Amino acid sequence: MGSRRVLLAIAAIATSLAVVTAGCSGGGSKPKPTANGSSGPAAAADNGPTPQSVAAAFLAAWQAGDFTKAASFTDIPDKAAPRLKAVMTSLAPKSIELKLGSQVNAPSPQAKSSSASGSAASGSAAGATPAAPSTPATPNPLDSAVHFDFSVTDTFDGDLKWQYTSVMAVLPAGGNTPPLVHFSSAVINPQLSAAANLKAVPPSVPVADRYGVLLTAQAHPSLASILAKLAIAKQQNNGTAASLQIEFVDNNTGNQIPGSNPIQLGQANATGGLQLASSLDDKIQTEAEKALAPFPNSGMVVIKPSTGEVLAIASNAKDNPKLATMATRAPGSTFKTVTSTALLISGMKLSDPADCTKNVQVGSQLYHNDEGLANGFPGATLLTAYEMSCNTSFVNAALSHNLPLDTLSKTAHDYYGMNQPWDMGTGLATYGTPGQQQVPAADGRDLFAAETFGQGRITMSPLTMASIAATVATGQFHQPILIPGFQGPAKSQPLPPNVKNDLQAMMRGVVTSGTATALQNISPSLGAKTGSAEPNNHDRTDSWMIAMDPDHDLAVAALALNAGFGNSAAGPAIAAMMKGAGLS
């Protein structure tokens, strides 16, 4: 914003605003005006801005969540805007109220800071760089600055309030430059350094597995981020008072600054010895982690199909510790389970022909099979094509049955709960996709053909594919959850009974007669689907496998990046987990 525009903006605000008193959302909702407590006009529009009107305009924009505008009233707008946004986004108050106080002779060395209970705030070192002393040759502009104190009230859920006083220096006008706020992190809070941030942290509670075994990040590194989320007590309907601690945390790591003291809001230790019972199973979690150890960059999720309860989430990936839930990889032939669902619903039977040709041309694209079926095989049916994982069979069947281009997207949504956010008890997220849909509708026949065998624009994670296997096990999608009894928002309709029975028979055939030989002789009701997918710009294929066992009320998916066919890595990992957990 140029100096002329700054002058006009300040003048416009100055005609009506001297003291900022309105409460608003820290995220940028419109301020709610209240009575003006000014003792006099901030500035006359025709005389230009004054230091007081600039201070008022800065606070008004900050309070409204317009950090770019607030920064335009400072001497470093390019740095002030992102800094204000970062601190307020991290602190995330429900509302903020800023009140301009009186002019002071010099900035307070340490602002008065208190919690709702009135205790003094203490934290990291102040964020302002001390001004250099003036000399006749290099006068310090702060020597002629006008200083104002102002009060800050941050309000959080439970009507918890953090109240403190800060000080800003307004540099005098010079030439075409209006008065400007001298910005530093210490303006936001007197104890805030440039290397620190503010964070409101609720009390945490211990997290136990479904049998009461305490779960820790030390014992289960795969669960570190999930346990951290679960450990934040929601403090709803638990009979305890609201509580928060304001922490000064490192900008880069998010960890509390050593030596800083958190500011307590509300009652300390409000959790009262609560322990959160999760759906996780310590034994299955341990075995899943062991099973992945031989396979770098791998992940596994185990689900209880009857309820959607997640029993284990394990990742063995240094660069992607959330691979099990947040991977965004093509699922390959495991997705033929969804394609088979669409074909069965359209009226196809397991014994109907599904030509496994050597290749198939669709538009400009030529599709083929994996090397084991390079020449196809004669007499393929839907059942044998699924068992042997013939790509061309599914392309030919989908096109010959004239399935609409959005069929797979709709089937994934309507029966498997995909293409919609899930909340497992840790907040809303859309897993397995960089966007909002794991299975976007195809925009052409060639892309639709690729999607029939899990390529194209389809992306999944072990979590989402485990849920598909779990849906086949019961015939009804249950949104995965980490807290027993928690109700997630995702919904779907049940599979038609004949479709469920056919899908179970198909998955069982993959173990007994098809490509999932790694799972043979484990459980009589165990069914599976192998998958190998070719990620973009990768020469090696990802190894996938999904499995479901109705007798043990268990479903699982495993992914090992760049590890070859599904039976090469993902299959042995699932077998090891099941045997180690005593599920064989």
Side-chain angles (χ1 to χ4, degrees):
M1 183 181 289
S3 298
R4 173 68 175 166
R5 292 175 63 192
V6 172
L7 288 165
L8 293 174
I10 298 174
I13 293 174
T15 59
S16 59
L17 180 61
V19 179
V20 182
T21 60
C24 77
S25 165
S29 61
K30 294 180 179 179
K32 302 173 184 177
T34 61
N36 192 323
S38 173
S39 59
D46 55 351
N47 293 330
T50 66
Q52 186 181 24
S53 69
V54 169
F58 168 71
L59 294 180
W62 172 7
Q63 180 176 274
D66 191 341
F67 305 122
T68 300
K69 186 175 182 179
S72 71
F73 302 126
T74 73
D75 55 349
I76 49 171
D78 58 331
K79 296 180 180 179
R83 181 62 173 149
L84 276 168
K85 182 178 181 180
V87 174
M88 297 312 298
T89 300
S90 175
L91 184 61
K94 188 176 180 181
S95 66
I96 179 172
E97 182 179 61
L98 303 169
K99 291 184 178 180
L100 184 63
S102 57
Q103 181 176 331
V104 293
N105 291 332
S108 173
Q110 181 170 351
K112 306 164 191 175
S113 179
S114 64
S115 69
S117 62
S119 60
S122 60
S124 57
T129 302
S134 296
T135 67
T138 58
N140 190 329
L142 286 178
D143 288 348
S144 55
V146 180
H147 298 86
F148 296 94
D149 62 18
F150 63 96
S151 65
V152 181
T153 303
D154 291 307
T155 302
F156 302 87
D157 287 336
D159 200 33
L160 294 174
K161 297 182 185 299
W162 182 30
Q163 298 173 323
Y164 62 89
T165 300
S166 189
V167 174
M168 75 175 94
V170 182
L171 302 174
N176 293 325
T177 303
L180 294 172
V181 174
H182 176 59
F183 184 80
S184 71
S185 295
V187 172
I188 303 174
N189 181 279
Q191 300 170 36
L192 186 65
S193 72
N197 215 332
L198 297 171
K199 187 175 182 180
V201 181
S204 63
V205 297
V207 178
D209 84 340
R210 61 194 305 107
Y211 302 112
V213 177
L214 189 65
L215 300 170
T216 67
Q218 290 73 27
H220 300 292
S222 291
L223 292 176
S225 62
I226 290 171
L227 292 178
K229 291 182 179 180
L230 288 175
I232 301 302
K234 294 186 179 298
Q235 302 180 53
Q236 295 177 351
N237 303 318
N238 62 8
T240 60
S243 177
L244 284 174
Q245 283 191 339
I246 307 298
E247 293 183 355
F248 294 85
V249 299
D250 185 273
N251 276 334
N252 296 319
T253 66
N255 298 327
Q256 187 174 344
I257 300 291
S260 66
N261 297 317
I263 300 159
Q264 179 66 44
L265 307 184
Q267 178 183 342
N269 302 316
T271 58
L274 293 175
Q275 179 170 287
L276 177 65
S278 73
S279 65
L280 296 163
D281 185 313
D282 179 72
K283 183 176 182 180
I284 295 177
Q285 176 69 32
T286 298
E287 294 304 325
E289 292 169 350
K290 288 181 181 178
L292 294 180
F295 307 107
N297 298 312
S298 59
M300 182 185 296
V301 172
V302 186
I303 292 176
K304 185 179 178 67
S306 61
T307 61
E309 294 172 351
V310 178
L311 303 175
I313 297 176
S315 297
N316 177 23
K318 292 181 179 179
D319 295 332
N320 186 6
K322 300 179 182 179
L323 187 148
T325 57
M326 301 306 293
T328 56
R329 308 289 280 201
S333 292
T334 58
F335 191 76
K336 290 172 183 172
T337 307
V338 177
T339 307
S340 297
T341 304
L343 290 168
L344 292 167
I345 289 173
S346 75
M348 197 170 180
K349 295 180 173 53
L350 295 186
S351 58
D352 285 350
D355 294 338
C356 183
T357 55
K358 179 179 180 180
N359 50 55
V360 57
Q361 183 87 31
V362 184
S364 62
Q365 298 298 313
L366 182 67
Y367 298 110
H368 56 82
N369 300 306
D370 290 331
E371 59 188 40
L373 293 174
N375 295 317
F377 70 90
T381 64
L382 179 60
L383 176 59
T384 58
Y386 186 87
E387 290 174 346
M388 301 307 296
S389 202
C390 179
N391 294 342
T392 58
S393 286
F394 285 86
V395 176
N396 289 325
L399 296 180
S400 66
H401 284 74
N402 296 314
L403 297 185
L405 297 183
D406 65 349
T407 298
L408 300 180
S409 181
K410 286 177 58 61
T411 301
H413 175 276
D414 294 349
Y415 296 99
Y416 292 100
M418 300 295 159
N419 296 350
Q420 51 187 308
W422 293 355
D423 185 350
M424 298 195 294
T426 56
L428 281 176
T430 307
Y431 295 95
T433 173
Q436 298 301 313
Q437 294 187 321
Q438 298 94 347
V439 190
D443 55 9
R445 283 168 57 86
D446 53 349
L447 183 59
F448 179 65
E451 289 184 345
T452 64
F453 54 95
Q455 296 281 171
R457 295 202 303 261
I458 298 173
T459 57
M460 292 283 179
S461 68
L463 171 65
T464 54
M465 289 308 304
S467 180
I468 285 176
T471 300
V472 174
T474 63
Q476 173 65 65
F477 166 75
H478 294 281
Q479 194 226 265
I481 54 174
L482 284 162
I483 301 173
F486 183 83
Q487 295 294 318
K491 308 295 180 189
S492 76
Q493 62 194 67
L495 292 166
N498 64 308
V499 173
K500 179 196 79 169
N501 293 336
D502 284 348
L503 290 170
Q504 289 185 354
M506 295 168 79
M507 292 186 72
R508 180 64 188 141
V510 174
V511 175
T512 59
S513 307
T515 54
T517 57
L519 299 189
Q520 290 179 350
N521 303 316
I522 291 180
S523 170
S525 65
L526 184 60
K529 183 69 191 83
T530 55
S532 56
E534 299 174 358
N536 293 334
N537 302 319
H538 288 281
D539 294 329
R540 301 188 64 187
T541 59
D542 290 345
S543 174
W544 278 96
M545 186 177 285
I546 61 173
M548 59 90 209
D549 187 347
D551 285 356
H552 287 98
D553 196 14
L554 179 138
V556 56
L559 163 67
L561 305 188
N562 306 315
F565 293 114
N567 203 51
S568 301
I574 290 177
M577 180 276 297
M578 294 190 71
K579 291 175 182 177
L583 299 172
S584 58

